[in-house]
Amino acid sequence: MEIVGENKFSVLVRYNGHTGNLYKSFDDDFSEPSFRKWFGEGRWTTIDTLSPASPSLQAYVDLRRSIFAGQSDFLDNRIEAVDEHAKFIAVAPSKDMVTSKSLLEHNQLWFVKGDDLWYRGRYCFNEGVPFTIADFQERGRHNSPGPRITLWEQEYLGYELKSGWKPKLRQRKMKVPRERWFTLTVHLILDDVEGNVRIWQDDQLVLDESVATLPASNSILNALEVGITATDAACEVLVDDVAISHSPLAELSMETSQP
């Protein structure tokens, strides 16, 4: 991949004879009342509804095409616009599936070694709790590795790097609420060896540890997945005010209480 140009908002790259922008920041408050209006240049790019009704790559890709063409509705797993929020619904995976998903994806981002990655989103767990709710992935590398935000024991925010030996960070300082909104804020310093992870739940710093945050030294985290990004149980999750950037996103005291 060749970098053609760069500014504070995006990187213009050339790959296989094609050029396009990869963005350094993105946000969405889901104010449009129609799910289909969330997509386009600089917006969300796709969805994933892996489920018992569409249990394979080909099945959920075919379903996605039909949904965007207006030829089909969602089946069991769903994504909806409700009261200016994004609503994600997922059923449990069948016994021969690894996981179930219901998520939005933006796959035109640019985060590399040495960058700061800031992420913020508001969440409400109406029913059940997924295993992961935000994934930062490297599309183009086998299995799309990258860091992700987890819910350990369906109660505690945590971290995992989906790559290699899968380094994990866990905490039991603060449980996530049920049927009430909370704000997740994440700050990653990106490095394949000496990275750093900080996670806040509302204004409480619950994790601050050094760990690998990139799959490889030449990784490009170009995809953000939000919603029910993996679950082994039925879930209903509301998400709002999503943002990702190289710079801090919210008024948050960096001196707030330590874990």
Side-chain angles (χ1 to χ4, degrees):
M1 185 179 294
E2 176 190 359
I3 298 177
V4 179
E6 184 173 0
N7 57 43
K8 66 179 182 179
F9 303 108
S10 64
V11 177
L12 182 64
V13 299
R14 180 180 293 120
Y15 182 72
N16 285 343
H18 299 282
T19 59
N21 278 313
L22 297 179
Y23 297 93
K24 295 181 178 181
S25 63
F26 165 72
D27 63 87
D28 198 344
D29 63 3
F30 303 104
S31 58
E32 295 98 334
S34 169
F35 156 81
R36 289 179 177 83
K37 291 187 179 295
W38 297 344
F39 301 87
E41 179 62 31
R43 302 292 308 277
W44 300 102
T45 47
T46 191
I47 62 174
D48 185 343
T49 54
L50 180 69
S51 73
S54 51
S56 68
L57 173 62
Q58 190 60 55
Y60 73 72
V61 168
D62 288 344
L63 175 62
R64 178 170 64 202
R65 288 172 179 160
S66 296
I67 290 170
F68 282 128
Q71 299 168 348
S72 174
D73 192 7
F74 291 96
L75 300 177
D76 42 7
N77 291 6
R78 304 183 64 84
I79 304 169
E80 301 173 350
V82 178
D83 297 329
E84 297 189 348
H85 312 310
K87 181 178 180 180
F88 301 88
I89 299 171
V91 302
S94 58
K95 62 181 181 180
D96 56 343
M97 296 175 63
V98 174
T99 190
S100 180
K101 301 182 180 186
S102 177
L103 62 88
L104 290 165
E105 178 180 318
H106 187 309
N107 56 28
Q108 296 175 324
L109 299 172
W110 180 270
F111 291 87
V112 297
K113 183 173 180 174
D115 285 344
D116 291 87
L117 185 159
W118 287 87
Y119 171 78
R120 185 193 63 226
R122 295 176 60 235
Y123 291 81
C124 180
F125 299 138
N126 278 348
E127 177 186 340
V129 177
F131 176 59
T132 55
I133 56 174
D135 292 34
F136 314 101
Q137 298 190 339
E138 183 177 9
R139 287 283 180 262
R141 194 179 292 267
H142 180 62
N143 287 334
S144 298
R148 57 186 184 174
I149 305 306
T150 58
L151 275 301
W152 299 110
E153 302 170 7
Q154 297 186 314
E155 291 189 317
Y156 302 98
L157 288 169
Y159 166 88
E160 179 179 83
L161 179 62
K162 189 182 74 170
S163 178
W165 55 281
K166 287 191 175 182
K168 302 172 178 63
L169 299 177
R170 306 188 187 197
Q171 58 86 26
R172 290 184 172 86
K173 301 294 183 182
M174 192 174 184
K175 294 182 178 181
V176 294
R178 309 292 180 94
E179 300 181 65
R180 178 174 67 80
W181 287 94
F182 72 93
T183 299
L184 165 67
T185 305
V186 179
H187 177 212
L188 305 180
I189 298 175
L190 298 179
D191 194 278
D192 56 311
V193 180
E194 295 292 331
N196 187 260
V197 175
R198 289 193 290 174
I199 297 175
W200 290 262
Q201 181 176 318
D202 293 323
D203 61 354
Q204 176 78 38
L205 182 65
V206 295
L207 268 177
D208 184 356
E209 296 192 37
S210 295
V211 69
T213 52
L214 282 179
S217 61
N218 62 347
S219 289
I220 301 171
L221 298 183
N222 49 21
L224 166 67
E225 292 185 346
V226 170
I228 302 171
T229 62
T231 186
D232 60 3
C235 297
E236 180 181 303
V237 177
L238 299 178
V239 179
D240 204 353
D241 298 326
V242 165
I244 187 170
S245 177
H246 287 229
S247 304
L249 291 161
E251 294 180 4
L252 177 67
S253 171
M254 297 301 104
E255 303 301 322
T256 49
S257 50
Q258 300 292 316

